[in-house]
Amino acid sequence: MKWCTLEATKIMNMCELPSLFNLKEIPLLIRSKILNNTLGITNMDCINELPPEWMLYVGCIKYWVCQQEYSTFHKYYLYSIFISMLFNIIDSKIGKHRNMHIFQKKYCQIIETIKQERKNDNYNSCIIDSTIIEAYNEIDHHDCVLAAPFFISHFKINEKLYTNPKIFSRYTVHVFAEFQSCVRHAMHLNALLRYPYPHIKIANLFNGTLLYNLSNNFKTRRNIEQYINTILQTSPSLLKLFHIFLLKVKPMFSHVLQDNIDPHRKHKKRGSKSNKNNLTKSDSEYFSADDNLHDPYYDPNNRFSLLNVV
């Protein structure tokens, strides 16, 4: 039997791919370069400053975004992935909760106590400069309790889908399915290269229902970051981590996260077109009525109207 071998070949930056048999022998630096070149990660990116479990995941996000068509890709997809990266931190602090009723039964009184104590102590929620690793390691347990209801509410399938399936967005599912596929293949390549980046525990970062619901929520917000600030204002350590994370990764996605990009612009155009059509229709009805003004008309309440038909 003849075995197939992967012969050395040239790739970007003059980095050579070794044979498959010798792949494990090459230095870590070269293995990292192979993966970085594949995902489009450059030296300017912040990957190495991130928590280890986020490194490859953010690299996958960059690759996925770069493959998207600019005209159809919206930044609320990106913000949905970013904010969903926090749910595992909350799970690790307070346990895994997906049922709002059970959570409220357990934490309702605790939440009220936390809020009252912070009010009495004039709790300061200002954001202090620190590294992303420091912010990640300083997440407060009480902050996670207060933020949990927002995330739990987005883990549940919208019941309106059962009665009105037409509101289900197959395109949104497709967008995140593409991202999931990118992550899967990047994980395989990372394993083949003997883990230049720490292995991704995908269940800790990706949840399809959560992403779908977050994107549906965010696409209705004119300022997504301001909305997130409002949601996390009672959880300053989580908000701090999210802000530092955004500052680090925004340069990687500047073409998507520009402030002047309005995800509603297409809806507005459709609305304008619809209004124009409605206006045209109204005008048509108006002129049609005018055209009939000279037709004979008999009003039984006006005896002189008979003169119109003479």
Side-chain angles (χ1 to χ4, degrees):
M1 181 181 293
K2 184 177 180 181
W3 295 93
C4 295
T5 59
L6 179 64
E7 299 297 335
T9 184
K10 298 284 185 180
I11 61 173
M12 292 182 294
N13 296 337
M14 304 303 292
C15 174
E16 289 190 352
L17 281 175
S19 66
L20 188 60
F21 180 77
N22 294 324
L23 195 59
K24 61 182 180 180
E25 305 297 334
I26 63 175
L28 175 62
L29 181 63
I30 301 299
R31 286 183 275 130
S32 297
K33 186 178 291 188
I34 293 172
L35 186 53
N36 289 342
N37 287 341
T38 302
L39 297 178
I41 300 172
T42 67
N43 293 331
M44 297 177 63
D45 296 330
C46 65
I47 297 296
N48 291 328
E49 300 179 39
L50 299 175
E53 55 268 40
W54 287 5
M55 290 180 176
L56 182 57
Y57 195 70
V58 172
C60 294
I61 296 173
K62 179 171 184 181
Y63 177 84
W64 167 67
V65 170
C66 290
Q67 307 308 309
Q68 300 299 317
E69 186 177 344
Y70 176 77
S71 61
T72 59
F73 187 82
H74 297 297
K75 60 184 176 182
Y76 52 77
Y77 297 132
L78 200 50
Y79 278 108
S80 299
I81 289 180
F82 288 164
I83 196 69
S84 69
M85 293 168 66
L86 300 180
F87 84 83
N88 182 62
I89 300 176
I90 296 174
D91 285 352
S92 68
K93 294 290 184 179
I94 67 173
K96 186 176 180 179
H97 295 276
R98 298 294 181 264
N99 185 292
M100 184 66 77
H101 177 71
I102 296 175
F103 175 83
Q104 291 288 0
K105 187 176 180 180
K106 181 177 180 180
Y107 283 101
C108 182
Q109 188 58 48
I110 296 175
I111 289 175
E112 293 303 318
T113 301
I114 294 172
K115 289 181 177 179
Q116 188 60 46
E117 288 178 352
R118 291 186 172 185
K119 183 178 180 181
N120 295 339
D121 296 338
N122 293 321
Y123 188 76
N124 187 3
S125 60
C126 65
I127 296 178
I128 304 173
D129 291 337
S130 60
T131 67
I132 191 169
I133 298 296
E134 291 171 345
Y136 184 88
N137 292 328
E138 293 171 359
I139 298 298
D140 181 72
H141 178 273
H142 286 172
D143 286 355
C144 291
V145 172
L146 295 177
F150 171 77
F151 289 90
I152 296 172
S153 66
H154 286 78
F155 276 107
K156 184 179 180 181
I157 296 176
N158 187 351
E159 293 184 358
K160 292 181 180 179
L161 290 173
Y162 297 112
T163 57
N164 186 12
K166 290 183 179 180
I167 65 175
F168 179 74
S169 174
R170 289 180 294 177
Y171 182 77
T172 299
V173 173
H174 176 69
V175 167
F176 290 125
E178 284 185 328
F179 172 64
Q180 192 175 20
S181 178
C182 291
V183 174
R184 177 176 180 267
H185 287 90
M187 289 173 64
H188 289 168
L189 180 57
N190 188 48
L192 183 65
L193 295 170
R194 298 187 66 195
Y195 302 103
Y197 288 111
H199 181 64
I200 295 177
K201 294 182 179 179
I202 191 63
N204 292 343
L205 296 168
F206 185 97
N207 182 283
T209 303
L210 176 64
L211 289 174
Y212 181 89
N213 289 332
L214 285 172
S215 67
N216 279 345
N217 182 347
F218 289 168
K219 72 181 178 182
T220 66
R221 313 294 173 178
R222 292 203 172 276
N223 190 321
I224 299 174
E225 287 189 30
Q226 185 176 5
Y227 173 71
I228 293 173
N229 289 343
T230 302
I231 293 299
L232 296 180
Q233 65 181 350
T234 58
S235 305
S237 62
L238 285 168
L239 184 59
K240 173 183 175 180
L241 173 61
F242 187 72
H243 277 176
I244 297 174
F245 174 73
L246 279 185
L247 288 174
K248 294 293 182 183
V249 302
K250 267 190 172 182
M252 299 171 62
F253 308 104
S254 57
H255 60 295
V256 176
L257 300 179
Q258 294 178 32
D259 292 335
N260 61 346
I261 296 178
D262 183 4
H264 297 79
R265 65 187 184 277
K266 288 191 175 182
H267 297 287
K268 285 185 176 181
K269 287 183 179 179
R270 286 198 293 267
S272 299
K273 185 177 180 181
S274 176
N275 290 337
K276 185 177 180 180
N277 290 338
N278 290 337
L279 181 60
T280 303
K281 183 178 179 181
S282 299
D283 288 344
S284 175
E285 292 174 352
Y286 175 79
F287 288 117
S288 296
D290 266 354
D291 291 339
N292 295 328
L293 286 176
H294 300 291
D295 292 342
Y297 174 73
Y298 172 67
D299 182 0
N301 296 317
N302 181 3
R303 59 183 178 176
F304 295 105
S305 67
L306 284 173
L307 296 175
N308 292 328
V309 297
V310 176

